[in-house]
Amino acid sequence: MQIGCHGSVWTGQFDTAGVQLAIAKTAEAGFDLIEIPLMDPDQADLTAVRRALSSSGLAVTASLGLSEHTDVSSDDPDVVAAGENLLNRCLEALSEIGGTHLVGVIYTAMRKYMTPATALNRKHSIEAISRLADRAAELGIRMGVEVVNRYESNLLNTSRQAVAYVEETGSNNLMVHLDTYHMNIEEPDMFTPVLTAGSRLGYVHIGESHRGYLGSGTVDFDSFFRALATVEYDGPIVFESFSSAIVHPDLSNMLGIWRNLWTDGEDLGRHANSFIRNQLATVSSIQMH
Ligand code: MN
C-alpha cells in the first residue's frame, strides 16, 4: 500500500520548478507517492520531472478536474471532444513520467451545476470515459472517477452512483475513487460506502471536513480505515489539503478555499503521513484480537 500526498500541500505552481519542489518535499515528509495536479499537461518539462521522481524514489499519480470548456458530460459534442483530447494528453504525459493512476473529477466539469445531469450528459460522459479507460490500459495506467459533493458535480455524489457508472462502462480499468471530505457531506456514514465500492475501489483521498489538519474536523476516520481493512483495500491512499496560503489559481477558487487552515506545509505533511500510517497500524492490530 502506498501513502501519498497531493502536490498542493507544497505549491500552487506546477511548472518544472514547482513540480520538482513538490517532489522533494513529499519525499522529505515520508510519503511513498506524489499526486500531481495536471490541469495543464504541457506546463512542466516531463524529462526533468521523471528525473526528479527517479532520484526521490516516489511513485506518481495525477489528477484533475475538468472545466466547462472540457466537460465530457456536456450536451455539446465539441466540448466533449475537447475534454477527451485534454484527458488523452494527460494520459500521454503521465505515461512519460511513469505514472500509475489518472483520477479526479475527469467525468464531468468540477463546478456547481444549476440543473440535474440528464440521460444525455451521463451517456456522453460514459462513452468518453470508456474510450479513455481503454487507452489508459494500453499505457499501463488505471483511471478512477472521484465521487464529489453536490457543489462540485451533478453526476457522481455517492459511492453507489459511482459503482453503477463504472459497471456501465464495462471497463476493468476504471475504478471508484472515494474522498473522505466529500463522503462526509453526502454519504450515510464512513463505512458502508467503502463496502459498496468493494473490489471496485481503486483510489482514496484522505481529507478532513474543512480540508485542514487530519483529526481536527468531523470526519470519522476510525470507521473509514476499518472499512478499508474490511475490503482489503491496497491501492494508493493520498492526503489532500488546501489552504489559501498555497494558491493554485484554477483549483483554489473552484474549491472555495477562502481561508488559511495552515501555513506550514511541512508540518502539515509530516502530521498527515504519520496520522494515516497510525490509522493503518491501529486497524491491522485488530486482526490479532
Ligand atoms: Mn479529492
Side-chain angles (χ1 to χ4, degrees):
M1 187 179 289
Q2 289 170 316
I3 311 307
C5 187
H6 191 279
S8 292
V9 169
W10 314 110
T11 178
Q13 297 301 323
F14 292 92
D15 53 9
T16 306
V19 176
Q20 286 169 328
L21 172 81
I23 290 168
K25 295 282 189 188
T26 298
E28 269 171 38
F31 291 99
D32 311 313
L33 176 153
I34 182 168
E35 180 182 313
I36 300 175
L38 259 195
M39 305 309 230
D40 176 2
D42 299 325
Q43 221 183 345
D45 173 357
L46 300 177
T47 309
V49 171
R50 191 172 56 218
R51 204 176 304 127
L53 283 165
S54 152
S55 63
S56 73
L58 293 179
V60 62
T61 62
S63 61
L64 71 155
L66 298 175
S67 74
E68 61 187 313
H69 308 294
T70 54
D71 180 358
V72 295
S73 76
S74 172
D75 291 337
D76 181 347
D78 290 342
V79 174
V80 175
E84 202 169 334
N85 180 47
L86 171 63
L87 291 170
N88 268 311
R89 285 166 50 224
C90 289
L91 285 172
E92 304 287 343
L94 191 56
S95 169
E96 276 198 49
I97 59 172
T100 55
H101 296 69
L102 180 67
V103 298
V105 191
I106 56 178
Y107 56 92
T108 175
M110 186 169 71
R111 69 180 178 91
K112 168 78 169 73
Y113 284 80
M114 302 308 285
T115 51
T118 64
L120 183 66
N121 296 143
R122 185 184 170 78
K123 177 171 177 282
H124 280 177
S125 175
I126 285 176
E127 287 172 353
I129 291 295
S130 300
R131 289 189 291 268
L132 286 156
D134 288 347
R135 176 68 185 128
E138 291 167 7
L139 297 170
I141 296 169
R142 307 205 86 169
M143 292 209 328
V145 285
E146 181 172 9
V147 181
V148 293
N149 72 74
R150 65 189 68 192
Y151 306 110
E152 296 183 31
S153 171
N154 59 0
L155 208 49
L156 302 182
N157 302 139
T158 67
S159 178
R160 193 191 301 247
Q161 290 176 318
V163 168
Y165 177 104
V166 167
E167 284 177 354
E168 249 178 86
T169 67
S171 172
N172 289 325
N173 196 42
L174 187 67
M175 314 292 288
V176 174
H177 168 185
L178 292 181
D179 178 321
T180 57
Y181 163 80
H182 298 290
M183 291 172 70
N184 188 56
I185 296 171
E186 300 291 353
E187 300 281 10
D189 58 64
M190 299 302 286
F191 194 90
T192 323
V194 174
L195 267 57
T196 300
S199 62
R200 293 209 183 272
L201 183 63
Y203 206 85
V204 165
H205 273 168
I206 299 293
E208 191 44 278
S209 52
H210 43 52
R211 293 198 184 264
Y213 270 78
L214 298 180
S216 69
T218 61
V219 170
D220 176 10
F221 287 112
D222 291 354
S223 291
F224 183 74
F225 279 93
R226 283 178 191 222
L228 290 184
T230 302
V231 301
E232 299 179 338
Y233 177 77
D234 68 352
I237 299 181
V238 178
F239 173 56
E240 193 175 41
S241 182
F242 302 95
S243 169
S244 59
I246 303 279
V247 176
H248 183 293
D250 298 333
L251 198 56
S252 167
N253 291 341
M254 183 55 66
L255 297 175
I257 310 302
W258 310 134
R259 63 189 194 278
N260 278 341
L261 291 171
W262 45 267
T263 50
D264 183 346
E266 292 175 14
D267 185 64
L268 176 88
R270 278 194 305 271
H271 176 270
N273 182 52
S274 65
F275 183 96
I276 292 169
R277 292 185 197 277
N278 283 341
Q279 287 277 352
L280 291 168
T282 302
V283 164
S284 74
S285 76
I286 293 171
Q287 288 168 3
M288 296 185 290
H289 291 196

